[in-house]
Amino acid sequence: MSTFVASVFIGTSVDGFIARQDGDIDWLNEHGEKAGDTGYDAFLAGVDTIVLGRATFEKLLSFGPAAWTYGDRHVAVLSTTLPDDADPRVTVHRSMDALTETLTARGARHVYADGGQVVQSFLRAGLVGRITLTTVPVLIGTGIPLFGALVSDLSLTHESTQVLGGGLVQTVYTIER
Amino acid sequence: MSTFVASVFIGTSVDGFIARQDGDIDWLNEHGEKAGDTGYDAFLAGVDTIVLGRATFEKLLSFGPAAWTYGDRHVAVLSTTLPDDADPRVTVHRSMDALTETLTARGARHVYADGGQVVQSFLRAGLVGRITLTTVPVLIGTGIPLFGALVSDLSLTHESTQVLGGGLVQTVYTIER
């Protein structure tokens, strides 16, 4: 039994993409600037562990040191290809099982699962307790989808919805586990 | 120049599907029952023309005569395969250009574009002025997506968001043309 619950806090286009196919999120940032307080800082304050996929991790690095806002939280990267010693700030894990074992051993309590692949893996593993979904008012047509295949339907419980600046709509769902 | 503006009024899962791969929308109906007034009747009252794809049309027929709630409105089916005389209640059109020409000639004013393929064709043709998107709190993993590829980004303007019964979230967007 895992000690932790995972949350997703992510923005998508109305057609459900978290980035363009090449990882570009300019469209997201452009709209995000108008949002006002998205609640992200308050959310991050309650998180002790961040899990990223390799693509999200490398995208984050490309933004430079200032983009690393995780402080001294444990950052785990889920990847079959990233070298173990890729970055002193992260631990690297080869599978969901190995990751879950490590997080449990470390006593993780509140995990922030970020990036499409990681979110999908966590959803399929039944580890996600809360999704904060912020929808940006644009259709981009193609890109990297947030959601993917599931073993079976996953029922969500609607908790709240608020309209942020710039017409962003933020909805919080919880998932019973 | 077309005489009409098209609206989309549709429900999707949180992962953006309008139906399962086989067309099943039981999951949608199940949640829809808890929604209360979705505004659909008021929306339909302002519509003079309905455009469906063949798949949506045939799905609708499978529900029996009571599901045909369009009254004496003009119903057009966009299909390359459906026979011209398939149903006395509908006209059949082979392409978006042919359809647009007919609707304009008939003096259509407010068109309800329904079904994934038709919505995507109308969006790509720049004919959609309003989207009422009702999000049902479930992830179904795979299915028929509402949105598809676009020539370029399509910026939406957020008009309103309300939470319906059962945790459905209904957002209205407009598109400048």
mmCIF file of all heavy atoms in Angstrom, chain A residues 14-15 20 123 133 135 137-142 147-150 153-156 158 161 163 167 169 171 173, chain B residues 14-15 20 123 133 135 137-142 147-150 152-156 158 161 163 167 169 171 173:
data_model
loop_
_atom_site.group_PDB
_atom_site.id
_atom_site.type_symbol
_atom_site.label_atom_id
_atom_site.label_comp_id
_atom_site.label_asym_id
_atom_site.label_seq_id
_atom_site.Cartn_x
_atom_site.Cartn_y
_atom_site.Cartn_z
ATOM 1 N N VAL A 14 -8.599 23.633 -25.052
ATOM 2 C CA VAL A 14 -9.966 23.091 -25.022
ATOM 3 C C VAL A 14 -10.002 21.726 -25.705
ATOM 4 O O VAL A 14 -10.806 20.865 -25.347
ATOM 5 C CB VAL A 14 -10.961 24.091 -25.677
ATOM 6 C CG1 VAL A 14 -12.327 23.459 -25.866
ATOM 7 C CG2 VAL A 14 -11.091 25.348 -24.818
ATOM 8 N N ASP A 15 -9.116 21.497 -26.661
ATOM 9 C CA ASP A 15 -9.057 20.175 -27.295
ATOM 10 C C ASP A 15 -8.107 19.207 -26.587
ATOM 11 O O ASP A 15 -7.777 18.148 -27.135
ATOM 12 C CB ASP A 15 -8.790 20.250 -28.812
ATOM 13 C CG ASP A 15 -7.716 21.240 -29.226
ATOM 14 O OD1 ASP A 15 -7.125 21.892 -28.347
ATOM 15 O OD2 ASP A 15 -7.464 21.360 -30.440
ATOM 16 N N ARG A 20 2.251 21.532 -27.782
ATOM 17 C CA ARG A 20 2.281 21.137 -29.185
ATOM 18 C C ARG A 20 3.157 19.896 -29.330
ATOM 19 O O ARG A 20 3.879 19.511 -28.412
ATOM 20 C CB ARG A 20 2.845 22.274 -30.050
ATOM 21 C CG ARG A 20 1.955 23.490 -30.083
ATOM 22 C CD ARG A 20 2.417 24.481 -31.153
ATOM 23 N NE ARG A 20 1.897 25.804 -30.879
ATOM 24 C CZ ARG A 20 0.670 26.225 -31.212
ATOM 25 N NH1 ARG A 20 -0.159 25.429 -31.852
ATOM 26 N NH2 ARG A 20 0.258 27.441 -30.905
ATOM 27 N N LEU A 123 -2.713 7.607 -13.474
ATOM 28 C CA LEU A 123 -4.152 7.319 -13.559
ATOM 29 C C LEU A 123 -4.387 5.821 -13.729
ATOM 30 O O LEU A 123 -5.242 5.235 -13.065
ATOM 31 C CB LEU A 123 -4.785 8.082 -14.733
ATOM 32 C CG LEU A 123 -5.036 9.575 -14.509
ATOM 33 C CD1 LEU A 123 -5.415 10.255 -15.819
ATOM 34 C CD2 LEU A 123 -6.132 9.802 -13.459
ATOM 35 N N LEU A 133 -7.718 20.904 -13.280
ATOM 36 C CA LEU A 133 -7.604 21.023 -14.729
ATOM 37 C C LEU A 133 -7.954 22.453 -15.136
ATOM 38 O O LEU A 133 -9.059 22.915 -14.881
ATOM 39 C CB LEU A 133 -8.585 20.036 -15.358
ATOM 40 C CG LEU A 133 -8.446 19.704 -16.825
ATOM 41 C CD1 LEU A 133 -7.082 19.101 -17.119
ATOM 42 C CD2 LEU A 133 -9.535 18.698 -17.213
ATOM 43 N N THR A 135 -8.421 24.939 -18.199
ATOM 44 C CA THR A 135 -8.650 24.887 -19.643
ATOM 45 C C THR A 135 -8.481 26.277 -20.256
ATOM 46 O O THR A 135 -9.155 27.224 -19.875
ATOM 47 C CB THR A 135 -10.063 24.346 -19.937
ATOM 48 O OG1 THR A 135 -10.212 23.092 -19.264
ATOM 49 C CG2 THR A 135 -10.251 24.136 -21.423
ATOM 50 N N PRO A 137 -8.660 28.894 -23.357
ATOM 51 C CA PRO A 137 -9.645 29.033 -24.435
ATOM 52 C C PRO A 137 -9.037 29.096 -25.834
ATOM 53 O O PRO A 137 -9.092 30.128 -26.502
ATOM 54 C CB PRO A 137 -10.376 30.327 -24.080
ATOM 55 C CG PRO A 137 -9.352 31.136 -23.347
ATOM 56 C CD PRO A 137 -8.536 30.139 -22.570
ATOM 57 N N VAL A 138 -8.474 27.993 -26.260
ATOM 58 C CA VAL A 138 -7.917 27.917 -27.607
ATOM 59 C C VAL A 138 -7.974 26.457 -28.067
ATOM 60 O O VAL A 138 -7.866 25.531 -27.251
ATOM 61 C CB VAL A 138 -6.462 28.451 -27.630
ATOM 62 C CG1 VAL A 138 -5.524 27.602 -26.784
ATOM 63 C CG2 VAL A 138 -5.921 28.580 -29.048
ATOM 64 N N LEU A 139 -8.177 26.275 -29.362
ATOM 65 C CA LEU A 139 -8.039 24.956 -29.983
ATOM 66 C C LEU A 139 -6.726 24.962 -30.755
ATOM 67 O O LEU A 139 -6.501 25.844 -31.585
ATOM 68 C CB LEU A 139 -9.203 24.685 -30.943
ATOM 69 C CG LEU A 139 -10.612 24.670 -30.346
ATOM 70 C CD1 LEU A 139 -11.671 24.608 -31.454
ATOM 71 C CD2 LEU A 139 -10.787 23.491 -29.398
ATOM 72 N N ILE A 140 -5.844 23.976 -30.477
ATOM 73 C CA ILE A 140 -4.565 23.960 -31.197
ATOM 74 C C ILE A 140 -4.493 22.816 -32.216
ATOM 75 O O ILE A 140 -3.526 22.718 -32.958
ATOM 76 C CB ILE A 140 -3.350 23.951 -30.234
ATOM 77 C CG1 ILE A 140 -3.265 22.666 -29.398
ATOM 78 C CG2 ILE A 140 -3.368 25.175 -29.318
ATOM 79 C CD1 ILE A 140 -1.953 22.538 -28.609
ATOM 80 N N GLY A 141 -5.489 21.949 -32.226
ATOM 81 C CA GLY A 141 -5.608 20.973 -33.322
ATOM 82 C C GLY A 141 -4.835 19.681 -33.145
ATOM 83 O O GLY A 141 -5.391 18.604 -33.329
ATOM 84 N N THR A 142 -3.551 19.801 -32.851
ATOM 85 C CA THR A 142 -2.733 18.608 -32.604
ATOM 86 C C THR A 142 -1.763 18.924 -31.485
ATOM 87 O O THR A 142 -1.524 20.086 -31.178
ATOM 88 C CB THR A 142 -1.900 18.213 -33.839
ATOM 89 O OG1 THR A 142 -1.135 19.347 -34.253
ATOM 90 C CG2 THR A 142 -2.778 17.750 -34.985
ATOM 91 N N PHE A 147 -4.607 13.126 -21.611
ATOM 92 C CA PHE A 147 -5.141 11.832 -21.210
ATOM 93 C C PHE A 147 -4.834 10.755 -22.243
ATOM 94 O O PHE A 147 -4.500 11.055 -23.395
ATOM 95 C CB PHE A 147 -6.649 11.941 -20.969
ATOM 96 C CG PHE A 147 -7.014 12.835 -19.824
ATOM 97 C CD1 PHE A 147 -7.635 14.064 -20.037
ATOM 98 C CD2 PHE A 147 -6.714 12.464 -18.518
ATOM 99 C CE1 PHE A 147 -7.965 14.894 -18.974
ATOM 100 C CE2 PHE A 147 -7.039 13.286 -17.442
ATOM 101 C CZ PHE A 147 -7.667 14.507 -17.674
ATOM 102 N N GLY A 148 -4.949 9.515 -21.833
ATOM 103 C CA GLY A 148 -4.701 8.401 -22.736
ATOM 104 C C GLY A 148 -5.567 7.207 -22.371
ATOM 105 O O GLY A 148 -6.521 7.328 -21.596
ATOM 106 N N ALA A 149 -5.232 6.080 -22.920
ATOM 107 C CA ALA A 149 -6.023 4.864 -22.723
ATOM 108 C C ALA A 149 -6.076 4.468 -21.246
ATOM 109 O O ALA A 149 -5.157 4.722 -20.480
ATOM 110 C CB ALA A 149 -5.422 3.723 -23.543
ATOM 111 N N LEU A 150 -7.178 3.858 -20.877
ATOM 112 C CA LEU A 150 -7.381 3.371 -19.512
ATOM 113 C C LEU A 150 -7.839 1.919 -19.569
ATOM 114 O O LEU A 150 -8.348 1.469 -20.594
ATOM 115 C CB LEU A 150 -8.468 4.197 -18.816
ATOM 116 C CG LEU A 150 -8.162 5.673 -18.537
ATOM 117 C CD1 LEU A 150 -9.434 6.391 -18.114
ATOM 118 C CD2 LEU A 150 -7.091 5.806 -17.462
ATOM 119 N N ASP A 153 -13.336 2.746 -17.336
ATOM 120 C CA ASP A 153 -13.763 4.109 -17.032
ATOM 121 C C ASP A 153 -13.268 4.533 -15.654
ATOM 122 O O ASP A 153 -13.200 3.719 -14.725
ATOM 123 C CB ASP A 153 -15.301 4.183 -16.995
ATOM 124 C CG ASP A 153 -15.908 4.097 -18.378
ATOM 125 O OD1 ASP A 153 -15.166 3.882 -19.358
ATOM 126 O OD2 ASP A 153 -17.141 4.252 -18.465
ATOM 127 N N LEU A 154 -12.980 5.809 -15.535
ATOM 128 C CA LEU A 154 -12.578 6.365 -14.245
ATOM 129 C C LEU A 154 -13.561 7.480 -13.919
ATOM 130 O O LEU A 154 -13.616 8.503 -14.604
ATOM 131 C CB LEU A 154 -11.147 6.907 -14.367
ATOM 132 C CG LEU A 154 -10.247 6.913 -13.154
ATOM 133 C CD1 LEU A 154 -10.292 5.607 -12.383
ATOM 134 C CD2 LEU A 154 -8.822 7.210 -13.583
ATOM 135 N N SER A 155 -14.354 7.241 -12.894
ATOM 136 C CA SER A 155 -15.362 8.209 -12.495
ATOM 137 C C SER A 155 -14.718 9.320 -11.669
ATOM 138 O O SER A 155 -13.937 9.031 -10.772
ATOM 139 C CB SER A 155 -16.434 7.494 -11.664
ATOM 140 O OG SER A 155 -17.700 7.909 -12.037
ATOM 141 N N LEU A 156 -15.041 10.558 -11.989
ATOM 142 C CA LEU A 156 -14.492 11.689 -11.253
ATOM 143 C C LEU A 156 -15.613 12.335 -10.439
ATOM 144 O O LEU A 156 -16.774 12.295 -10.835
ATOM 145 C CB LEU A 156 -13.917 12.719 -12.225
ATOM 146 C CG LEU A 156 -12.948 12.210 -13.303
ATOM 147 C CD1 LEU A 156 -12.478 13.377 -14.178
ATOM 148 C CD2 LEU A 156 -11.751 11.521 -12.664
ATOM 149 N N HIS A 158 -16.851 15.943 -9.147
ATOM 150 C CA HIS A 158 -16.629 17.370 -9.330
ATOM 151 C C HIS A 158 -16.582 18.062 -7.972
ATOM 152 O O HIS A 158 -17.475 17.901 -7.156
ATOM 153 C CB HIS A 158 -17.762 17.962 -10.173
ATOM 154 C CG HIS A 158 -17.649 19.434 -10.353
ATOM 155 N ND1 HIS A 158 -18.213 20.347 -9.490
ATOM 156 C CD2 HIS A 158 -17.011 20.167 -11.296
ATOM 157 C CE1 HIS A 158 -17.934 21.568 -9.916
ATOM 158 N NE2 HIS A 158 -17.211 21.483 -11.002
ATOM 159 N N THR A 161 -15.476 24.635 -9.621
ATOM 160 C CA THR A 161 -15.083 25.251 -10.895
ATOM 161 C C THR A 161 -15.013 26.755 -10.695
ATOM 162 O O THR A 161 -15.898 27.339 -10.067
ATOM 163 C CB THR A 161 -16.123 24.940 -11.988
ATOM 164 O OG1 THR A 161 -16.107 23.536 -12.276
ATOM 165 C CG2 THR A 161 -15.816 25.694 -13.282
ATOM 166 N N VAL A 163 -13.814 30.488 -12.878
ATOM 167 C CA VAL A 163 -13.311 31.128 -14.089
ATOM 168 C C VAL A 163 -12.192 32.084 -13.688
ATOM 169 O O VAL A 163 -12.391 32.971 -12.852
ATOM 170 C CB VAL A 163 -14.439 31.884 -14.823
ATOM 171 C CG1 VAL A 163 -13.891 32.535 -16.097
ATOM 172 C CG2 VAL A 163 -15.584 30.933 -15.157
ATOM 173 N N GLY A 167 -10.400 34.071 -19.374
ATOM 174 C CA GLY A 167 -11.340 33.038 -19.789
ATOM 175 C C GLY A 167 -10.859 31.623 -19.551
ATOM 176 O O GLY A 167 -11.393 30.670 -20.127
ATOM 177 N N VAL A 169 -10.769 28.300 -17.487
ATOM 178 C CA VAL A 169 -11.727 27.648 -16.600
ATOM 179 C C VAL A 169 -10.998 26.563 -15.811
ATOM 180 O O VAL A 169 -10.404 25.652 -16.398
ATOM 181 C CB VAL A 169 -12.896 27.022 -17.385
ATOM 182 C CG1 VAL A 169 -13.867 26.329 -16.435
ATOM 183 C CG2 VAL A 169 -13.624 28.090 -18.201
ATOM 184 N N THR A 171 -11.238 23.594 -13.084
ATOM 185 C CA THR A 171 -12.125 22.654 -12.402
ATOM 186 C C THR A 171 -11.298 21.659 -11.597
ATOM 187 O O THR A 171 -10.276 21.155 -12.065
ATOM 188 C CB THR A 171 -13.007 21.906 -13.420
ATOM 189 O OG1 THR A 171 -13.875 22.848 -14.057
ATOM 190 C CG2 THR A 171 -13.857 20.846 -12.745
ATOM 191 N N TYR A 173 -11.398 18.045 -9.762
ATOM 192 C CA TYR A 173 -12.068 16.755 -9.613
ATOM 193 C C TYR A 173 -11.299 15.914 -8.599
ATOM 194 O O TYR A 173 -10.070 15.997 -8.523
ATOM 195 C CB TYR A 173 -12.069 15.985 -10.941
ATOM 196 C CG TYR A 173 -12.823 16.627 -12.067
ATOM 197 C CD1 TYR A 173 -12.154 17.274 -13.098
ATOM 198 C CD2 TYR A 173 -14.211 16.561 -12.125
ATOM 199 C CE1 TYR A 173 -12.845 17.855 -14.165
ATOM 200 C CE2 TYR A 173 -14.910 17.145 -13.179
ATOM 201 C CZ TYR A 173 -14.223 17.777 -14.190
ATOM 202 O OH TYR A 173 -14.913 18.354 -15.233
ATOM 203 N N VAL B 14 -14.350 14.071 -19.758
ATOM 204 C CA VAL B 14 -13.241 14.971 -19.419
ATOM 205 C C VAL B 14 -12.072 14.746 -20.373
ATOM 206 O O VAL B 14 -11.308 15.671 -20.661
ATOM 207 C CB VAL B 14 -12.820 14.775 -17.938
ATOM 208 C CG1 VAL B 14 -11.539 15.530 -17.615
ATOM 209 C CG2 VAL B 14 -13.946 15.248 -17.007
ATOM 210 N N ASP B 15 -11.934 13.535 -20.900
ATOM 211 C CA ASP B 15 -10.871 13.288 -21.880
ATOM 212 C C ASP B 15 -11.326 13.545 -23.325
ATOM 213 O O ASP B 15 -10.649 13.140 -24.276
ATOM 214 C CB ASP B 15 -10.201 11.910 -21.713
ATOM 215 C CG ASP B 15 -11.161 10.758 -21.448
ATOM 216 O OD1 ASP B 15 -12.391 10.990 -21.398
ATOM 217 O OD2 ASP B 15 -10.682 9.622 -21.290
ATOM 218 N N ARG B 20 -18.177 6.342 -27.182
ATOM 219 C CA ARG B 20 -17.183 5.274 -27.263
ATOM 220 C C ARG B 20 -16.935 4.953 -28.740
ATOM 221 O O ARG B 20 -17.693 5.372 -29.609
ATOM 222 C CB ARG B 20 -17.667 4.017 -26.529
ATOM 223 C CG ARG B 20 -17.786 4.219 -25.037
ATOM 224 C CD ARG B 20 -17.977 2.878 -24.305
ATOM 225 N NE ARG B 20 -18.579 3.108 -23.002
ATOM 226 C CZ ARG B 20 -17.883 3.414 -21.892
ATOM 227 N NH1 ARG B 20 -16.576 3.525 -21.942
ATOM 228 N NH2 ARG B 20 -18.500 3.617 -20.744
ATOM 229 N N LEU B 123 -15.642 23.636 -37.986
ATOM 230 C CA LEU B 123 -14.559 24.431 -37.375
ATOM 231 C C LEU B 123 -13.500 24.762 -38.415
ATOM 232 O O LEU B 123 -13.034 25.900 -38.517
ATOM 233 C CB LEU B 123 -13.929 23.673 -36.198
ATOM 234 C CG LEU B 123 -14.735 23.662 -34.898
ATOM 235 C CD1 LEU B 123 -14.118 22.672 -33.900
ATOM 236 C CD2 LEU B 123 -14.787 25.057 -34.262
ATOM 237 N N LEU B 133 -20.104 23.625 -24.498
ATOM 238 C CA LEU B 133 -19.407 22.369 -24.217
ATOM 239 C C LEU B 133 -19.756 21.917 -22.805
ATOM 240 O O LEU B 133 -19.486 22.626 -21.846
ATOM 241 C CB LEU B 133 -17.902 22.637 -24.340
ATOM 242 C CG LEU B 133 -16.958 21.456 -24.427
ATOM 243 C CD1 LEU B 133 -17.294 20.592 -25.629
ATOM 244 C CD2 LEU B 133 -15.523 21.964 -24.533
ATOM 245 N N THR B 135 -19.102 19.174 -19.990
ATOM 246 C CA THR B 135 -18.113 18.157 -19.653
ATOM 247 C C THR B 135 -18.634 17.265 -18.541
ATOM 248 O O THR B 135 -18.977 17.736 -17.455
ATOM 249 C CB THR B 135 -16.791 18.818 -19.235
ATOM 250 O OG1 THR B 135 -16.386 19.717 -20.270
ATOM 251 C CG2 THR B 135 -15.709 17.775 -19.030
ATOM 252 N N PRO B 137 -18.212 14.293 -15.800
ATOM 253 C CA PRO B 137 -17.079 13.943 -14.939
ATOM 254 C C PRO B 137 -16.685 12.466 -14.998
ATOM 255 O O PRO B 137 -16.846 11.734 -14.033
ATOM 256 C CB PRO B 137 -17.563 14.346 -13.539
ATOM 257 C CG PRO B 137 -19.043 14.196 -13.598
ATOM 258 C CD PRO B 137 -19.425 14.581 -15.008
ATOM 259 N N VAL B 138 -16.164 12.070 -16.127
ATOM 260 C CA VAL B 138 -15.687 10.697 -16.264
ATOM 261 C C VAL B 138 -14.578 10.684 -17.323
ATOM 262 O O VAL B 138 -14.589 11.484 -18.258
ATOM 263 C CB VAL B 138 -16.853 9.751 -16.671
ATOM 264 C CG1 VAL B 138 -17.403 10.084 -18.039
ATOM 265 C CG2 VAL B 138 -16.440 8.290 -16.623
ATOM 266 N N LEU B 139 -13.617 9.802 -17.135
ATOM 267 C CA LEU B 139 -12.601 9.525 -18.161
ATOM 268 C C LEU B 139 -12.959 8.179 -18.767
ATOM 269 O O LEU B 139 -13.111 7.196 -18.043
ATOM 270 C CB LEU B 139 -11.194 9.452 -17.531
ATOM 271 C CG LEU B 139 -10.683 10.720 -16.846
ATOM 272 C CD1 LEU B 139 -9.377 10.432 -16.089
ATOM 273 C CD2 LEU B 139 -10.463 11.835 -17.849
ATOM 274 N N ILE B 140 -13.104 8.124 -20.090
ATOM 275 C CA ILE B 140 -13.457 6.846 -20.720
ATOM 276 C C ILE B 140 -12.282 6.238 -21.509
ATOM 277 O O ILE B 140 -12.388 5.134 -22.020
ATOM 278 C CB ILE B 140 -14.736 6.931 -21.587
ATOM 279 C CG1 ILE B 140 -14.556 7.831 -22.816
ATOM 280 C CG2 ILE B 140 -15.929 7.394 -20.756
ATOM 281 C CD1 ILE B 140 -15.739 7.755 -23.809
ATOM 282 N N GLY B 141 -11.193 6.976 -21.639
ATOM 283 C CA GLY B 141 -9.957 6.376 -22.159
ATOM 284 C C GLY B 141 -9.804 6.381 -23.666
ATOM 285 O O GLY B 141 -8.775 6.776 -24.192
ATOM 286 N N THR B 142 -10.815 5.883 -24.358
ATOM 287 C CA THR B 142 -10.790 5.884 -25.824
ATOM 288 C C THR B 142 -12.201 6.170 -26.327
ATOM 289 O O THR B 142 -13.162 6.022 -25.577
ATOM 290 C CB THR B 142 -10.370 4.517 -26.407
ATOM 291 O OG1 THR B 142 -11.223 3.515 -25.850
ATOM 292 C CG2 THR B 142 -8.918 4.196 -26.086
ATOM 293 N N PHE B 147 -12.896 16.942 -31.054
ATOM 294 C CA PHE B 147 -12.084 17.848 -31.866
ATOM 295 C C PHE B 147 -11.085 17.086 -32.726
ATOM 296 O O PHE B 147 -10.808 15.909 -32.484
ATOM 297 C CB PHE B 147 -11.363 18.850 -30.956
ATOM 298 C CG PHE B 147 -12.299 19.776 -30.218
ATOM 299 C CD1 PHE B 147 -12.497 19.657 -28.852
ATOM 300 C CD2 PHE B 147 -13.010 20.747 -30.906
ATOM 301 C CE1 PHE B 147 -13.367 20.497 -28.173
ATOM 302 C CE2 PHE B 147 -13.892 21.599 -30.240
ATOM 303 C CZ PHE B 147 -14.070 21.474 -28.873
ATOM 304 N N GLY B 148 -10.560 17.766 -33.730
ATOM 305 C CA GLY B 148 -9.583 17.150 -34.621
ATOM 306 C C GLY B 148 -8.608 18.194 -35.134
ATOM 307 O O GLY B 148 -8.551 19.316 -34.633
ATOM 308 N N ALA B 149 -7.859 17.802 -36.138
ATOM 309 C CA ALA B 149 -6.821 18.672 -36.693
ATOM 310 C C ALA B 149 -7.416 19.973 -37.230
ATOM 311 O O ALA B 149 -8.559 20.015 -37.690
ATOM 312 C CB ALA B 149 -6.080 17.934 -37.805
ATOM 313 N N LEU B 150 -6.629 21.024 -37.162
ATOM 314 C CA LEU B 150 -7.021 22.338 -37.672
ATOM 315 C C LEU B 150 -5.908 22.870 -38.562
ATOM 316 O O LEU B 150 -4.763 22.442 -38.465
ATOM 317 C CB LEU B 150 -7.217 23.311 -36.504
ATOM 318 C CG LEU B 150 -8.362 23.023 -35.542
ATOM 319 C CD1 LEU B 150 -8.245 23.911 -34.308
ATOM 320 C CD2 LEU B 150 -9.705 23.265 -36.229
ATOM 321 N N SER B 152 -4.943 26.007 -38.401
ATOM 322 C CA SER B 152 -4.177 26.839 -37.466
ATOM 323 C C SER B 152 -4.960 26.945 -36.164
ATOM 324 O O SER B 152 -6.102 26.503 -36.086
ATOM 325 C CB SER B 152 -3.948 28.223 -38.062
ATOM 326 O OG SER B 152 -5.188 28.844 -38.305
ATOM 327 N N ASP B 153 -4.310 27.520 -35.130
ATOM 328 C CA ASP B 153 -4.983 27.702 -33.849
ATOM 329 C C ASP B 153 -6.311 28.431 -34.038
ATOM 330 O O ASP B 153 -6.428 29.308 -34.896
ATOM 331 C CB ASP B 153 -4.127 28.557 -32.917
ATOM 332 C CG ASP B 153 -2.920 27.804 -32.388
ATOM 333 O OD1 ASP B 153 -2.698 26.653 -32.802
ATOM 334 O OD2 ASP B 153 -2.211 28.395 -31.550
ATOM 335 N N LEU B 154 -7.253 28.099 -33.199
ATOM 336 C CA LEU B 154 -8.546 28.774 -33.208
ATOM 337 C C LEU B 154 -8.760 29.339 -31.807
ATOM 338 O O LEU B 154 -8.908 28.579 -30.843
ATOM 339 C CB LEU B 154 -9.637 27.762 -33.572
ATOM 340 C CG LEU B 154 -10.872 28.242 -34.298
ATOM 341 C CD1 LEU B 154 -10.554 29.166 -35.463
ATOM 342 C CD2 LEU B 154 -11.669 27.047 -34.794
ATOM 343 N N SER B 155 -8.742 30.648 -31.723
ATOM 344 C CA SER B 155 -8.902 31.319 -30.440
ATOM 345 C C SER B 155 -10.375 31.372 -30.064
ATOM 346 O O SER B 155 -11.207 31.734 -30.893
ATOM 347 C CB SER B 155 -8.340 32.738 -30.547
ATOM 348 O OG SER B 155 -7.598 33.051 -29.411
ATOM 349 N N LEU B 156 -10.679 31.028 -28.825
ATOM 350 C CA LEU B 156 -12.058 31.058 -28.354
ATOM 351 C C LEU B 156 -12.216 32.188 -27.346
ATOM 352 O O LEU B 156 -11.263 32.524 -26.644
ATOM 353 C CB LEU B 156 -12.418 29.722 -27.687
ATOM 354 C CG LEU B 156 -12.103 28.441 -28.468
ATOM 355 C CD1 LEU B 156 -12.531 27.218 -27.645
ATOM 356 C CD2 LEU B 156 -12.802 28.429 -29.813
ATOM 357 N N HIS B 158 -14.212 33.103 -23.970
ATOM 358 C CA HIS B 158 -15.036 32.512 -22.918
ATOM 359 C C HIS B 158 -16.228 33.411 -22.622
ATOM 360 O O HIS B 158 -16.070 34.604 -22.389
ATOM 361 C CB HIS B 158 -14.191 32.337 -21.653
ATOM 362 C CG HIS B 158 -14.967 31.797 -20.493
ATOM 363 N ND1 HIS B 158 -15.613 32.608 -19.575
ATOM 364 C CD2 HIS B 158 -15.223 30.529 -20.113
ATOM 365 C CE1 HIS B 158 -16.215 31.843 -18.686
ATOM 366 N NE2 HIS B 158 -15.996 30.584 -18.979
ATOM 367 N N THR B 161 -19.595 30.035 -17.705
ATOM 368 C CA THR B 161 -19.426 28.664 -17.224
ATOM 369 C C THR B 161 -20.413 28.438 -16.094
ATOM 370 O O THR B 161 -20.568 29.297 -15.218
ATOM 371 C CB THR B 161 -17.999 28.437 -16.684
ATOM 372 O OG1 THR B 161 -17.068 28.514 -17.764
ATOM 373 C CG2 THR B 161 -17.858 27.067 -16.027
ATOM 374 N N VAL B 163 -21.978 25.196 -13.397
ATOM 375 C CA VAL B 163 -21.941 23.809 -12.961
ATOM 376 C C VAL B 163 -23.370 23.297 -12.901
ATOM 377 O O VAL B 163 -24.221 23.878 -12.223
ATOM 378 C CB VAL B 163 -21.261 23.687 -11.586
ATOM 379 C CG1 VAL B 163 -21.226 22.224 -11.146
ATOM 380 C CG2 VAL B 163 -19.849 24.260 -11.633
ATOM 381 N N GLY B 167 -22.307 17.299 -11.344
ATOM 382 C CA GLY B 167 -20.927 17.724 -11.564
ATOM 383 C C GLY B 167 -20.565 17.966 -13.017
ATOM 384 O O GLY B 167 -19.385 18.001 -13.374
ATOM 385 N N VAL B 169 -19.960 20.305 -16.089
ATOM 386 C CA VAL B 169 -19.526 21.693 -16.216
ATOM 387 C C VAL B 169 -19.809 22.161 -17.640
ATOM 388 O O VAL B 169 -19.330 21.560 -18.608
ATOM 389 C CB VAL B 169 -18.022 21.849 -15.904
ATOM 390 C CG1 VAL B 169 -17.586 23.303 -16.084
ATOM 391 C CG2 VAL B 169 -17.714 21.358 -14.491
ATOM 392 N N THR B 171 -19.568 25.130 -20.369
ATOM 393 C CA THR B 171 -18.906 26.380 -20.728
ATOM 394 C C THR B 171 -19.326 26.792 -22.141
ATOM 395 O O THR B 171 -19.377 25.952 -23.039
ATOM 396 C CB THR B 171 -17.385 26.226 -20.631
ATOM 397 O OG1 THR B 171 -17.017 25.987 -19.276
ATOM 398 C CG2 THR B 171 -16.667 27.483 -21.117
ATOM 399 N N TYR B 173 -18.305 29.122 -25.299
ATOM 400 C CA TYR B 173 -17.269 29.893 -25.974
ATOM 401 C C TYR B 173 -17.849 30.472 -27.265
ATOM 402 O O TYR B 173 -18.677 29.820 -27.909
ATOM 403 C CB TYR B 173 -16.086 29.004 -26.366
ATOM 404 C CG TYR B 173 -15.338 28.378 -25.221
ATOM 405 C CD1 TYR B 173 -15.509 27.034 -24.897
ATOM 406 C CD2 TYR B 173 -14.428 29.115 -24.473
ATOM 407 C CE1 TYR B 173 -14.806 26.444 -23.857
ATOM 408 C CE2 TYR B 173 -13.715 28.530 -23.425
ATOM 409 C CZ TYR B 173 -13.914 27.189 -23.124
ATOM 410 O OH TYR B 173 -13.216 26.623 -22.098
#
